[in-house]
Amino acid sequence: MTTYPEAYIDYLVYFHAERDFFECHEVMEEYWKQHREDPLSRAYVGLIQVAVGMYHHRRRNITGAVKMLESAVKLLTDEDMQELGIEAASFKEALLERINQLRTAPDAAYADIDIPLRDEQLRRLCLQRCERHKLQWGAPSNMEDGYLIHKHSLRDRSEVIEARAEQLKMQQKRG
């Protein structure tokens, strides 16, 4: 039995059920920052970039989407994806198809992509979590939800601002 980090399962649920790519980025980045020595560290960054790429695409930032998805493809090795329970060939193909679509038909309507999971146990864990939280795995993005689509500019950042101010004070005291 493979054990996966809780943050990774959270990422998958945000990605497939809520289509909250901003939260995918947040939860996986926090985990990655705390586990930089993890052998899958590059894969975590690749997954973060996939989420950011999808977030950009949904917001019609085609240049940002292409940049992030291309970078993700370079970071996500077949071996790492397999270790994360992902069907590597299918996922890479979907990412390359999306990059090609963004280059050749940038005005095409946005459509979600899924991360194909090869590990049925991982899939069951994700589905169980969805059931507990009354979420639908594979639900499409709610394109009417302005908060979901523009979350980075609409979220409450007061805690982040306070933390940065506190860090600045500490640096000034030291130096």
Side-chain angles (χ1 to χ4, degrees), residues 8 54 66-67 69 72 80 88 105-107 110 113 127-128 156:
Y8 177 55
M54 295 304 293
V66 169
K67 181 179 176 183
L69 294 176
D80 288 349
D107 294 330
Y110 170 82
I113 63 171
L127 291 173
Q128 288 168 357
D156 177 9

Side-chain angles (χ1 to χ4, degrees), residues 5-162:
E6 284 297 309
Y8 177 55
I9 297 169
D10 290 341
Y11 172 96
L12 291 171
V13 171
Y14 282 127
F15 197 96
H16 293 97
E18 297 185 53
R19 302 299 181 176
D20 192 336
F21 304 124
F22 185 85
E23 288 304 321
C24 288
H25 161 269
E26 292 288 295
V27 71
M28 208 68 244
E29 185 177 60
E30 185 176 327
Y31 181 81
W32 167 72
K33 283 181 177 180
Q34 295 170 0
H35 299 87
R36 289 180 193 254
E37 301 306 316
D38 188 310
L40 295 171
S41 181
R42 287 175 50 93
Y44 298 144
V45 174
L47 290 171
I48 291 164
Q49 290 176 338
V50 168
V52 173
M54 295 304 293
Y55 183 81
H56 283 316
H57 182 195
R58 192 169 56 194
R59 295 186 73 245
R60 309 305 303 157
N61 175 358
I62 304 305
T63 302
V66 169
K67 181 179 176 183
M68 284 292 103
L69 294 176
E70 285 178 334
S71 183
V73 167
K74 290 175 187 170
L75 288 174
L76 292 167
T77 67
D78 290 354
E79 297 79 20
D80 288 349
M81 285 192 282
Q82 288 174 4
E83 194 163 330
L84 287 169
I86 298 171
E87 174 49 55
S90 299
F91 188 38
K92 214 164 235 185
E93 182 180 326
L95 292 173
L96 292 171
E97 283 177 15
R98 181 56 53 98
I99 292 166
N100 185 52
Q101 175 212 354
L102 290 169
R103 285 191 176 132
T104 59
D107 294 330
Y110 170 82
D112 294 308
I113 63 171
D114 292 330
I115 301 172
L117 300 179
R118 67 180 191 87
D119 183 339
E120 277 307 310
Q121 178 187 8
L122 174 60
R123 184 175 173 76
R124 277 193 305 275
L125 286 170
C126 292
L127 291 173
Q128 288 168 357
R129 184 156 308 165
C130 285
E131 192 175 316
R132 274 196 313 272
H133 296 286
K134 297 179 177 28
L135 299 170
Q136 180 187 344
W137 183 264
S141 286
N142 179 355
M143 298 303 284
E144 304 299 315
D145 184 347
Y147 184 71
L148 179 69
I149 294 170
H150 304 289
K151 195 170 193 176
H152 78 284
S153 61
L154 301 175
R155 73 192 192 285
D156 177 9
R157 296 188 34 84
S158 56
E159 285 184 28
V160 173
I161 293 167
E162 285 177 34

